[in-house]
Amino acid sequence: MKLPPLASLPNPVKSAFAPSAEGGPVIVNIGPSHPATHGTVQIIAELDGERVLRTDVHCGYLHRGFEKECEAHTWHNLIPYVDRLNYVSALINDFAYCDGVERLLGIEITPRCRYLRTLLSEYSRIVDHLTCIAAGLMELGAMTAFLYLVMIRDYMYEHLADLTGARVTYTYGRIGGLARDLPDGWLARLAEILDQYEVFVGRVHGLVDRNRIFIDRMRNVGVLSTADAIHYAYTGPILRSTGAPRDLRRDTPYLAYAELDFDVPVGIKGDNYDRYYVRMREMDESVHMIRQLMDMLPAGPINVADHRCTFPDKALVYTEIESLINHFKLVMDGPAVPAGDVYVAHESPNGELGFYLVSAGGGVPWKVHCRAPSFVHMGGVHRMLDGYQLADVVPTFGSVNMIGGECDR
Amino acid sequence: MTTSSATIPIARADGPSSAFEYITTKKDELVGWARKFSLFPYPFVTACCAMEFMAVSSTPYDTDRFGAALPRFSPRQADLLMVVGTVTHKQAPVLRKVYEQMCEPKWVMAFGVCATSGGFYQNYAAVQGIDRIIPVDVYIPGCPPRPEMVIDGIMQLQQKIATSRHPIVTERF
Amino acid sequence: MPADLDALCQSLATEATPASVAHGLVVVEVPTAGVLDMVRTLKDAHGFDMLLDVTAVDWLPREPRFDVVWHFWSTTGHVRVRVRTRVPEGDPAVVSLTSLYGSAAFMERECHEMYGIRFAGNADLRPILLYEGFVGHPLRKDYPKDREQPLVPYLTP
């Protein structure tokens, strides 16, 4: 193996700021491979001493051609790609995408599927917030809290692997239903894990909530006003941390959210501490919702009986010609989705996760566009970074929870 | 301060010693044994595999058992480059630069199927395997791999280090 | 909420801007020259204070080839609206909405590099998901999926 010479390496981005003259502001480059930018993002900051004057944020280091790849796969086959958008809460991506296709097909999912999707969405939200808070705390040096949160997250990963077969990327949603029903004893284990969750998260509350170092790093840092948040299209916990109770689960109820009792936690002034606390409170609300859903979960089928999208029973495929043909057509041609376009939005842990699906008829989508909250949030993140210290970039960026797969697609 | 515990003689001042003074081994085996238990990884973390990287380096799986837990975020202090996740063409110059900045001896681990071969991203954006850009020592399949697979990969790398040549004085010795 | 949607649809629809209700939101077709006026009306008179999304659809071989699509959301009325305009391949230009919405800047940069749509008034159209030196627009239907443009020379065995 012979490495080509290094001098030929080009710079993939062009900075918005030119290096200034002697004695002027200093330009510092952070990322894209930096321990404090979980995910790959590059921040070029202009500094006056330790104070950040301007920032130029570059994303795209994880652009994997999601939308182009979708145009080459059938509506079913692209579900694994959808999983890897926000890989921390892959199930919510699945369900939002499937919801979009079901609206194009005009399908109403079964009640059991509807409640199960709601339950798993909330479960994913807990996993996502745990990861975000754990990583954010680790960057501030709170290693114990990180280990506690990752421990409980690992219980959840193994529990989800019992259901779906994978720890992180599940490919569990199906158009018109779900891949499989709950295994025996799954709900009993869920109840155990939720009890464990309260113990572990209680410890984290005790460790950091009133910790002087934590408050000094988080309070009044990275403040965002509600007007700015709306101007830059912030949604989800960041918008709620500014005091605006905007939550799609409440504003445009989908799945089974209209039947659930839950609060929408909001912050006071939209700083890092509020973003941390809103996420902690949202996890508690999610646990509350999961407990209600465990009691409400009805019996019945999980897939709709619609031959356009639901795969026939495997036993029938081997014994019955109609089912064999149906299976063959679904695999080879994909589900026949009527022409049209739809925009569907779910409340993902980061904000409004939208899918704009365009069908020209047939089994392959014409266009699948993901309205990724992380990407939109990156467009306004300079409002939270400019004017603070360079060291504040780390907790502020951690509290924004940019997920590379979703941001760069 | 007085103590009653016995002191172990390392070497006796007088005459021939019965204590542990010499061992005979091959230089490569000795250096390889020392190096395989002191891997300092540089996590080049890009994508989904980061979630499993977090799991693998925390309590339940604990790579400290293999001497490979303490990440060094400067390539100059690291000797194991863990490429965790998809590397895109935009990212490729950065990866190459980080690799060049690491001191010898250095090893590269392709963590996950995207780093190994591009995975199912067969398109304009993704590099079809990081071994097109830098040499790779160990590949870990999986999308993302389970923590057990990562631990297996670390053990295989240790095996490779223990059995390979380690020139330290000149190219040939 | 259907009543709201219908009322909104009625008030937006004119001869030049046909509007309809589809899949839970209002869709307005606008000629390219009238986009800024329509968006101003939406923001000021109807309370659509959030620009959710900007994207384009490549309808090759149709002429005009591209649809540019905006989604707006009213944080108070909880309604979405989609504004759509058609632009030809020869001059794929629409007005930039950066003067009205801060979120437009990044999303227009993405749409620009992916489809080659020019957003007149957006001063910063540097690549955002792609890199400096990338030739072409990957989401156009005539860009082959696997045409790579590597920045780093590959290893020679």
Side-chain angles (χ1 to χ4, degrees):
Chain A
M1 292 281 197
K2 191 168 143 293
L3 285 169
L6 184 65
S8 61
L9 281 184
N11 189 355
V13 299
K14 195 157 69 187
S15 169
F17 324 130
S20 60
E22 187 78 16
V26 180
I27 311 282
V28 168
N29 174 58
I30 307 166
S33 181
H34 187 271
T37 62
H38 34 128
T40 48
V41 75
Q42 184 175 12
I43 302 168
I44 300 173
E46 194 180 66
L47 302 181
D48 173 24
E50 284 280 304
R51 206 163 61 84
V52 178
L53 297 176
R54 289 188 293 168
T55 46
D56 181 23
V57 180
H58 292 273
C59 41
Y61 284 97
L62 192 54
H63 175 64
R64 311 188 267 199
F66 162 76
E67 293 177 23
K68 191 77 176 175
E69 203 69 68
C70 285
E71 290 169 15
H73 288 75
T74 65
W75 293 98
H76 265 133
N77 287 0
L78 61 86
I79 291 177
Y81 291 98
V82 173
D83 258 334
R84 283 155 184 79
L85 287 172
N86 184 346
Y87 38 75
V88 197
S89 53
L91 289 170
I92 295 182
N93 299 286
D94 274 8
F95 300 153
Y97 165 74
C98 291
D99 190 9
V101 184
E102 283 149 12
R103 285 188 203 194
L104 278 176
L105 281 162
I107 290 175
E108 182 82 25
I109 54 174
T110 63
R112 184 172 173 81
C113 174
R114 196 157 55 86
Y115 284 94
L116 213 45
R117 280 186 184 184
T118 319
L119 190 154
L120 291 166
S121 290
E122 289 313 309
Y123 205 25
S124 279
R125 194 181 313 279
I126 297 176
V127 173
D128 192 294
H129 285 348
L130 281 175
T131 310
C132 168
I133 294 169
L137 288 174
M138 181 186 64
E139 283 154 9
L140 292 176
M143 198 65 195
T144 313
F146 168 79
L147 291 175
Y148 279 148
L149 294 173
V150 172
M151 192 72 217
I152 187 73
R153 189 189 73 152
D154 220 71
Y155 293 163
M156 294 178 175
Y157 271 173
E158 287 299 335
H159 190 223
L160 281 166
D162 286 348
L163 171 65
T164 64
R167 277 165 55 96
V168 180
T169 46
Y170 311 106
T171 317
Y172 181 66
R174 292 288 182 273
I175 297 163
L178 298 167
R180 61 187 73 83
D181 208 337
L182 299 180
D184 290 340
W186 198 84
L187 288 176
R189 174 70 184 146
L190 178 60
E192 279 173 28
I193 288 178
L194 294 185
D195 292 343
Q196 284 285 312
Y197 156 86
E198 281 170 351
V199 174
F200 278 80
V201 168
R203 288 177 189 164
V204 174
H205 273 301
L207 280 170
V208 299
D209 276 9
R210 288 160 184 266
N211 184 315
R212 178 64 190 272
I213 300 169
F214 183 70
I215 292 174
D216 283 353
R217 293 295 303 272
M218 302 291 266
R219 225 351 146 200
N220 294 321
V221 173
V223 179
L224 188 73
S225 69
T226 307
D228 267 353
I230 289 176
H231 188 58
Y232 285 99
Y234 277 92
T235 45
I238 302 180
L239 177 58
R240 289 195 283 276
S241 76
T242 67
R246 297 275 82 89
D247 190 323
L248 291 180
R249 293 172 290 173
R250 178 61 59 77
D251 296 343
T252 56
Y254 55 95
L255 292 176
Y257 286 111
E259 299 150 50
L260 295 176
D261 165 51
F262 64 100
D263 286 339
V264 177
V266 293
I268 305 163
K269 53 176 131 173
D271 58 5
N272 283 341
Y273 194 88
D274 280 349
R275 288 192 278 276
Y276 155 77
Y277 217 87
V278 163
R279 285 205 172 88
M280 288 296 256
R281 282 284 297 117
E282 273 186 23
M283 292 197 293
D284 296 344
E285 290 304 318
S286 295
V287 170
H288 181 52
M289 276 187 256
I290 292 174
R291 290 201 168 122
Q292 294 172 54
L293 285 159
M294 283 160 72
D295 296 335
M296 293 159 96
L297 201 62
I302 53 164
N303 283 310
V304 292
D306 189 322
H307 296 308
R308 288 179 301 164
C309 62
T310 306
F311 282 87
D313 190 38
K314 202 74 180 172
L316 291 178
V317 174
Y318 290 125
T319 52
E320 205 182 80
I321 188 65
E322 290 84 359
S323 296
L324 179 66
I325 293 170
N326 189 358
H327 188 93
F328 180 83
K329 294 294 276 183
L330 277 177
V331 171
M332 301 307 288
D333 298 346
V337 176
D341 54 351
V342 66
Y343 179 86
V344 57
H346 280 197
E347 180 75 27
S348 87
N350 279 339
E352 173 164 339
L353 173 74
F355 278 99
Y356 177 54
L357 309 175
V358 181
S359 169
V364 179
W366 187 258
K367 177 184 170 68
V368 175
H369 175 71
C370 172
R371 188 266 179 205
S374 289
F375 177 69
V376 181
H377 292 175
M378 282 302 105
V381 80
H382 60 275
R383 301 291 297 187
M384 296 186 231
L385 299 175
D386 296 359
Y388 296 94
Q389 303 287 307
L390 180 64
D392 294 335
V393 170
V394 174
T396 305
F397 203 82
S399 72
V400 172
N401 194 24
M402 172 266 198
I403 302 290
E406 176 187 72
C407 176
D408 304 339
R409 280 156 284 155
Chain B
M1 198 175 89
T2 56
T3 170
S4 60
S5 64
T7 51
I8 301 166
I10 305 282
R12 270 165 47 186
D14 52 332
S17 163
S18 62
F20 176 49
E21 277 189 333
Y22 304 102
I23 53 166
T24 49
T25 179
K26 289 184 193 159
K27 178 219 72 187
D28 281 339
E29 277 181 16
L30 178 69
V31 176
W33 171 82
R35 280 180 175 168
K36 79 173 188 178
F37 289 122
S38 66
L39 292 170
F40 286 84
Y42 176 96
F44 192 88
V45 175
T46 62
C48 334
C49 291
M51 296 302 111
E52 288 297 35
F53 179 76
M54 276 169 82
V56 113
S57 53
S58 64
T59 333
Y61 297 98
D62 189 16
T63 43
D64 235 344
R65 295 176 290 160
F66 305 92
L70 192 66
R72 301 279 83 197
F73 288 108
S74 166
R76 291 184 172 80
Q77 298 168 347
D79 47 20
L80 168 61
L81 177 60
M82 285 177 128
V83 183
V84 183
T86 321
V87 173
T88 61
H89 285 301
K90 188 171 182 176
Q91 185 93 56
V94 184
L95 175 65
R96 175 70 200 282
K97 198 164 204 161
V98 167
Y99 178 77
E100 299 278 351
Q101 286 174 346
M102 291 171 65
C103 298
E104 293 284 353
K106 54 188 172 187
W107 297 278
V108 178
M109 173 187 282
F111 186 124
V113 75
C114 286
T116 303
S117 68
F120 67 178
Y121 293 101
Q122 302 290 323
N123 58 36
Y124 64 91
V127 177
Q128 306 302 310
I130 57 164
D131 51 7
R132 294 191 174 196
I133 304 168
I134 54 174
V136 179
D137 293 284
V138 60
Y139 299 88
I140 302 174
C143 187
R146 278 189 64 90
E148 290 86 346
M149 297 163 75
V150 181
I151 287 172
D152 186 53
I154 293 174
M155 287 161 70
Q156 289 197 22
L157 181 66
Q158 288 184 329
Q159 188 66 30
K160 178 172 178 169
I161 295 171
T163 53
S164 59
R165 291 204 59 240
H166 296 279
I168 46 174
V169 182
T170 63
E171 274 292 301
R172 305 189 50 175
F173 180 71
Chain C
M1 213 165 294
D4 287 1
L5 284 181
D6 286 335
L8 179 69
C9 185
Q10 292 289 321
S11 65
L12 291 175
T14 62
E15 192 75 14
T17 62
S20 57
V21 177
H23 294 297
L25 46 67
V26 179
V27 186
V28 196
E29 306 270 353
V30 184
T32 309
V35 170
L36 197 60
D37 286 339
M38 172 55 78
V39 174
R40 273 215 188 90
T41 315
L42 285 172
K43 186 175 183 184
D44 297 338
H46 300 281
F48 285 94
D49 47 3
M50 194 180 274
L51 171 61
L52 285 178
D53 191 32
V54 181
T55 188
V57 188
D58 180 0
W59 285 106
L60 189 78
R62 189 192 75 176
E63 194 53 49
R65 180 171 164 185
F66 298 103
D67 279 351
V68 183
V69 184
W70 293 265
H71 285 93
F72 299 89
W73 164 249
S74 163
T75 54
T76 45
H78 306 156
V79 192
R80 288 196 186 84
V81 67
R82 176 185 305 149
V83 175
R84 182 160 46 198
T85 188
R86 295 179 172 202
V87 291
E89 186 182 356
D91 179 28
V94 290
V95 67
S96 165
L97 298 183
T98 42
S99 57
L100 296 173
Y101 299 95
S103 55
F106 258 44
M107 295 190 273
E108 287 175 359
R109 274 171 76 179
E110 188 208 343
C111 189
H112 170 73
E113 67 180 353
M114 289 297 166
Y115 288 96
I117 309 287
R118 270 189 304 109
F119 289 88
N122 189 337
D124 180 14
L125 287 176
R126 288 174 297 159
I128 185 162
L129 297 186
L130 298 173
Y131 39 88
E132 298 290 336
F134 193 94
V135 181
H137 305 287
L139 281 183
R140 286 192 176 185
K141 291 282 180 188
D142 50 9
Y143 189 94
K145 183 174 80 113
D146 47 5
R147 181 192 285 165
E148 295 181 68
Q149 304 187 21
L151 284 179
V152 179
Y154 285 159
L155 284 183
T156 44

